[in-house]
């Protein structure tokens, strides 16, 4: 029996804005098993980041959530700030896209690391320094003692992202949520960071949520993949299944319009016409229907549920038993 | 045989950077671009790849004379661009345009889409009537996939993909012969990226454009380019016809870049070998002696530290700057 380390159920995230309510995340249920990497794929505004900002209790002030997110016996959505603070940065850590803005610019990186250890693990300064340097070495930062005393601006983007990763790993978290961790990095550096995450998963059993728009990144690391569109999960399956036999037209479209080095180049790239919908003016029925080539009447009137049909997907074409 | 539009020879852009000494100070040249040469014909796309700081954006800007070159020559239809005075340069610029990376930041927020697209016409066709200009703008909007009813909207009312279409319309309205695209699709979502790439390729075929396509995305560059140039610390490592570069890269840096590209296929992604690069990008203020890539190169030997490699030609139109290019590198599994 696999153990679920994070279990999100019926999550809704709504933002109150001057122009009315924005449905950023709607009825999302996801889980992460112990030791696995769950890939979350989607384009800007699909709700992939907000789902996990809600889980971390980091939503903007005008955001409201309903549903539950169970992590080690705690419902993170209902927990108070104090309880959250004992979990976040400790058993549950997050890595963001931009390593420059997620580090404090005026503080030496070493101090930013030891702070975590002193606060969560009650270490004294000396022990914390030794531990922080050991962790810097583990994420393959060359000359960790010298870099310990540097400020973020003195480090390259790749080194900064390794500092952020080291910070996330300091307390031996059970789950690391990585939101576009390699998007700002060059391909060669991206490959190193992904290798590092793979090693942590395989050798130390760390579980990951990998949020990305890059299908290539997911293919190399994730065990299971959930595809999101307009605030909802539209397809979810094992990584090999979803790449070999995607069922939802959006997933198929995303895969088709990504050129890959392993295929011969084509004259024209397949595309998905149109653009993602405005979350305040979602179309009726299936949110993807205005862009879908296989659309039929029912899609315009009724929203398909996420149901079994080859994979777990939200498309009437695949649901054999009529609802 | 199509004409050679652009002949770039030994182009150099050095920035003086003050090092040490607050009062007196000494200046060290930062060699952003150091001796790059290539030719470009009408209807041809040159892809320029490399990591951040390799000089690819500097190259695009120096070719268009948006940055002063420190040395070398840019010949445009046989005329030396770097010798032209401001007036003559402005006249030549009518045929050269640029599309920038950040679609929203490259548009003036206080101008409407129509005004932005018409701006080059106002500069270069001062006698064109308002009505004619408007008709031309609307026609161009249609060609880049924007509805002509959007002509009076402001940039913030458009999505990222649409803003990039406005930027492309602005670049294309004077019927240029050369367009420099500096990471034009990097800020766009996957489904929108493919649309914009197709649009650029379609316009190129229709207008017989020469394009310099600067990108860090090697999959997109392969799709769009006829030839590809790989830059590292301001120097060319390798330049070759597209299929030769992707199927049989000779430079270890090209091989490392290609092996690091994520492949959206779990079986291949997990099985293929990767050529990892050691260490960090050296400071361009203090580049390594000999071959600039040697500090991170898995094949570096003594000669690499002592002698700068000269050009070798493994094939037709295929140039490589490496002492060890004959040694077989990593097999990159790329379809021909």
């Amino acid at each position: 029996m696999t153990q679920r380390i994070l279990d999100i159920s019926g999550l809704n995230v709504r933002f109150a804005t001057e122009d009315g309510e924005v449905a950023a995340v709607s009825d999302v249920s996801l889980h992460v098993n112990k030791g696995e990497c769950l890939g979350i794929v989607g384009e800007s505004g699909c709700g992939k980041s907000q789902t996990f900002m809600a889980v971390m209790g980091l939503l903007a002030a005008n955001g409201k959530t309903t549903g539950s997110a169970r992590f080690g016996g705690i419902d993170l959505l209902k927990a108070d700030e104090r309880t959250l603070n004992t979990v976040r940065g400790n058993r549950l850590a997050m890595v963001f896209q931009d390593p420059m803005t997620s580090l404090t610019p005026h503080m030496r990186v070493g101090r930013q690391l030891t702070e975590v250890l002193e606060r969560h693990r009650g270490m004294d300064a000396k022990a914390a320094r030794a531990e922080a340097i050991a962790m810097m070495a583990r994420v393959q930062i060359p000359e960790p003692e010298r870099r310990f005393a540097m400020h973020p601006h003195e480090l390259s983007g790749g080194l900064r992202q390794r500092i952020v990763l080291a910070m996330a790993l300091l307390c031996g978290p059970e789950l690391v949520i990585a939101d576009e961790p390699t998007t700002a990095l060059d391909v060669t550096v991206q490959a190193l960071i992904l290798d590092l995450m793979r090693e942590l998963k395989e050798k130390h059993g760390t579980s990951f949520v990998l949020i990305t728009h890059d299908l290539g990144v997911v293919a190399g690391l994730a065990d299971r993949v959930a595809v999101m569109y307009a605030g909802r999960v539209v397809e979810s399956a094992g990584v090999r299944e979803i790449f070999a036999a995607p069922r939802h037209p959006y997933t198929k479209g995303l895969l088709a319009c990504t050129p890959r080095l392993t295929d011969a180049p084509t004259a024209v790239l397949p595309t998905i016409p149109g653009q993602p919908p405005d979350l305040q003016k979602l179309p009726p029925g299936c949110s993807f229907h205005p862009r879908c080539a296989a659309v039929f009447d029912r899609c315009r009137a009724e929203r398909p549920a996420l149901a079994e049909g080859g994979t777990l997907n939200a498309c009437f074409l695949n649901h054999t038993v009529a609802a | 045989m199509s004409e050679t539009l652009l002949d770039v020879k030994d182009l150099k852009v050095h920035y003086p950077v003050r090092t040490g000494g607050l009062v007196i100070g000494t200046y060290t040249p930062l060699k952003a671009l150091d001796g790059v040469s290539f030719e470009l014909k009408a209807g041809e796309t040159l892809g320029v790849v490399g990591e951040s700081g390799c000089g690819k954006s500097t190259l695009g800007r120096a070719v268009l004379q948006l940055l002063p070159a420190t040395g070398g020559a840019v010949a445009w239809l046989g005329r030396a661009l770097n010798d032209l005075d401001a007036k003559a340069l402005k006249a030549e610029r009518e045929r050269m345009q640029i599309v920038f990376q950040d679609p929203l930041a490259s548009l003036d927020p206080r101008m409407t889409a129509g005004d932005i697209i018409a701006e080059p016409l106002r500069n270069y066709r001062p006698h064109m009537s308002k009505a004619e200009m408007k008709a031309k703008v609307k026609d161009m909007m249609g060609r880049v996939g924007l509805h002509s009813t959007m002509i009076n909207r402001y940039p913030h009312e458009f999505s990222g993909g649409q803003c990039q279409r406005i930027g492309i319309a602005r670049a294309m309205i004077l019927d240029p012969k050369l367009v420099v695209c500096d990471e034009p699709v990097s800020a766009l979502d996957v489904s929108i990226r493919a649309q914009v790439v197709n649009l650029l390729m379609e316009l190129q075929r229709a207008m017989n454009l020469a394009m310099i396509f600067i990108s860090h995305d090697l999959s997109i560059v392969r799709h769009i380019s006829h030839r590809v140039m790989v830059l590292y610390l301001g120097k060319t490592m390798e330049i070759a016809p597209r299929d030769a570069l992707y199927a049989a890269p000779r430079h270890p840096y090209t091989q490392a870049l290609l092996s690091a590209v994520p492949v959206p296929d779990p079986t291949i992604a997990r099985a293929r070998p990767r050529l990892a690069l050691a260490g960090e990008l050296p400071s361009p203020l203090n580049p390594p002696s000999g071959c600039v890539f040697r500090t991170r190169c898995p094949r570096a030997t003594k000669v690499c530290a002592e002698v700068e490699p000269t050009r070798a030609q493994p094939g037709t139109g295929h140039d490589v700057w490496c002492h060890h290019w004959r040694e077989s590198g990593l097999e990159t599994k790329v379809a021909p």
Side-chain angles (χ1 to χ4, degrees):
Chain A
M1 181 66 195
T2 46
Q3 189 195 337
R4 287 187 177 189
I5 188 163
L6 175 69
D7 202 342
I8 304 173
S9 177
L11 176 70
N12 290 285
V13 178
R14 299 281 178 270
F15 290 101
T17 71
E18 281 177 27
D19 307 323
E21 197 181 62
V22 176
V25 178
S26 300
D27 195 23
V28 164
S29 297
L30 289 167
H31 66 272
V32 184
N33 293 324
K34 196 168 164 36
E36 81 168 352
C37 173
L38 173 69
I40 309 286
V41 179
E43 300 180 275
S44 339
C46 73
K48 58 189 192 300
S49 292
Q50 293 308 330
T51 298
F52 290 92
M53 292 297 263
V55 167
M56 291 295 281
L58 295 174
L59 282 184
N62 62 343
K64 289 260 178 313
T65 58
T66 56
S68 70
R70 301 202 68 81
F71 176 78
I74 307 165
D75 184 347
L76 295 172
L77 298 184
K78 297 184 182 69
D80 55 33
E81 200 70 7
R82 241 185 90 164
T83 318
L84 278 179
N85 282 341
T86 62
V87 176
R88 287 186 301 209
N90 194 8
R91 294 167 56 204
L92 178 62
M94 191 150 185
V95 174
F96 296 95
Q97 171 172 353
D98 185 345
M100 193 63 216
T101 50
S102 48
L103 291 168
T104 306
H106 63 264
M107 208 190 248
R108 291 177 200 278
V109 294
R111 178 66 195 132
Q112 301 191 44
L113 292 169
T114 54
E115 194 179 35
V116 178
L117 291 166
E118 288 170 26
R119 177 161 182 144
H120 284 298
R121 288 174 54 185
M123 285 186 173
D124 62 44
K126 206 177 153 198
R129 183 188 151 90
E131 179 73 25
I133 289 175
M135 183 57 77
M136 286 168 75
R138 221 176 100 196
V139 296
Q140 291 165 24
I141 294 173
E143 303 177 77
E145 287 90 355
R146 195 164 69 83
R147 300 232 150 79
F148 185 86
M150 285 186 172
H151 286 93
H153 75 268
E154 295 174 89
L155 303 171
S156 67
L159 281 179
R160 282 200 289 261
Q161 196 60 304
R162 272 177 261 189
I163 295 281
V164 173
L165 192 59
M167 195 185 294
L169 298 173
L170 278 174
C171 295
E174 292 152 60
L175 176 64
V176 176
I177 297 171
D179 189 356
E180 303 270 10
T182 59
T183 305
L185 307 176
D186 280 316
V187 279
T188 52
V189 182
Q190 164 169 287
L192 289 177
I193 299 274
L194 294 176
D195 283 351
L196 205 56
M197 287 172 68
R198 191 174 304 122
E199 190 190 309
L200 288 163
K201 183 166 92 76
E202 279 158 16
K203 285 202 185 140
H204 302 275
T206 311
S207 314
F208 284 93
V209 173
L210 177 63
I211 303 169
T212 179
H213 68 280
D214 189 331
L215 290 158
V217 167
V218 164
L221 193 60
D223 299 294
R224 282 188 306 123
V225 179
V227 180
M228 289 185 72
Y229 188 79
R232 293 174 188 271
V233 175
V234 293
E235 183 159 15
S236 152
V239 67
R240 283 174 203 278
E241 245 182 306
I242 212 155
F243 279 91
R247 296 300 185 111
H248 196 283
Y250 178 62
T251 316
K252 287 183 187 175
L254 272 188
L255 277 168
C257 69
T258 311
R260 45 182 86 187
L261 288 183
T262 44
D263 293 342
T266 49
V268 180
L269 281 178
T271 58
I272 305 174
Q275 51 191 322
D278 181 344
L279 292 172
Q280 277 173 292
K281 293 178 221 142
L282 283 177
C286 170
S287 301
F288 186 62
H289 88 249
R291 304 178 75 189
C292 185
V295 63
F296 56 102
D297 285 348
R298 193 178 172 194
C299 314
R300 297 187 182 96
E302 198 184 324
R303 184 172 42 243
L306 192 62
E308 196 55 48
T311 62
L312 203 58
N313 64 72
C315 182
F316 290 127
L317 289 175
N318 304 314
H319 299 162
T320 40
V321 185
Chain B
M1 184 72 197
S2 33
E3 52 176 343
T4 297
L5 283 182
L6 196 64
D7 188 0
V8 176
K9 281 215 166 64
D10 200 28
L11 188 63
K12 290 180 179 158
V13 178
H14 296 179
Y15 299 103
V17 173
R18 194 146 104 167
T19 46
L22 269 178
V23 183
I24 300 166
T26 48
Y27 287 87
T28 312
L30 186 153
K31 299 178 178 173
L33 205 60
D34 199 26
V36 169
S37 305
F38 65 92
E39 281 183 15
L40 195 63
K41 289 182 168 53
E44 188 184 30
T45 301
L46 175 73
V48 181
V49 299
E51 296 171 286
S52 359
C54 72
K56 46 189 197 301
S57 290
T58 303
L59 173 67
R61 282 165 172 72
V63 164
L64 298 178
Q65 308 294 311
L66 295 172
L67 278 176
T70 314
V74 179
W76 167 252
L77 296 164
R79 300 178 66 187
L81 277 185
N82 12 7
D83 296 339
L84 297 182
D85 60 30
K87 204 176 153 197
L89 185 60
K90 190 187 167 190
E92 293 300 330
R93 277 213 178 113
E94 186 182 337
R95 301 273 174 234
M96 326 171 192
Q97 295 292 332
I98 183 163
V99 176
F100 297 96
Q101 170 169 6
D102 188 327
L104 194 55
S106 57
L107 305 178
D108 186 331
R110 293 181 299 178
M111 285 167 79
T112 62
D115 285 338
I116 291 169
I117 299 169
E119 179 95 345
L121 290 176
R122 281 195 296 275
N123 286 335
Y124 283 96
R125 310 267 193 279
H127 303 299
M128 190 181 264
S129 73
K130 280 243 160 71
E132 198 184 339
M133 214 176 258
K134 195 166 176 185
K136 215 165 152 50
V137 167
K138 283 189 168 176
D139 172 60
M140 196 67 232
M141 286 179 79
R143 290 180 68 186
V144 299
L146 290 171
H147 210 278
S148 58
T149 54
M150 298 168 168
I151 192 162
N152 290 321
R153 289 201 200 162
Y154 288 89
H156 74 268
E157 298 174 77
F158 291 94
S159 68
Q162 289 172 325
C163 283
Q164 199 57 294
R165 288 173 194 271
I166 296 174
I168 292 170
R170 173 177 60 185
M172 301 295 175
I173 198 145
L174 290 172
D175 290 315
K177 287 172 180 269
L178 168 72
V179 176
V180 173
C181 299
D182 191 356
E183 301 268 13
V185 296
S186 307
L188 306 179
D189 269 321
V190 186
S191 72
I192 308 300
R193 193 177 291 177
Q195 295 174 6
V196 173
V197 166
N198 284 344
L199 172 67
L200 284 170
M201 291 178 78
E202 192 187 301
L203 289 168
Q204 178 186 38
R205 274 190 295 266
M207 301 166 72
N208 200 28
L209 277 177
M211 222 156 53
I212 297 179
F213 190 90
I214 299 165
S215 177
H216 67 277
D217 185 330
L218 284 102
S219 310
I220 295 273
V221 165
R222 173 164 177 257
H223 185 80
I224 206 168
S225 309
H226 301 103
R227 277 189 305 143
V228 180
M229 173 191 264
V230 182
L231 291 180
Y232 184 82
L233 279 187
K235 286 182 187 284
T236 316
M237 299 289 107
E238 186 163 12
I239 180 168
R242 186 222 9 223
D243 292 342
L245 189 106
Y246 281 85
R250 297 296 190 157
H251 200 288
Y253 181 57
T254 315
Q255 293 168 357
L257 279 182
L258 283 174
S259 76
V261 175
V263 174
D265 181 318
T267 313
I268 298 173
R270 284 157 214 235
R272 71 186 185 139
R274 206 164 56 69
L275 192 65
L277 291 184
E280 291 278 310
L281 194 73
S283 162
L285 279 174
N286 185 20
S289 63
C291 170
V292 286
F293 182 58
R294 70 172 167 87
T295 51
R296 300 174 74 196
C297 182
R299 276 189 241 158
T301 56
K302 200 162 157 259
V303 65
C304 304
E306 290 161 357
V307 184
E308 190 178 339
T310 51
R311 185 177 73 161
Q313 287 187 293
T316 316
H318 191 160
D319 298 343
V320 60
W321 284 259
C322 175
H323 291 296
H324 302 293
W325 67 271
R326 275 174 223 274
E327 293 161 32
S328 72
L330 193 81
E331 285 291 315
T332 51
K333 285 189 179 159
V334 174

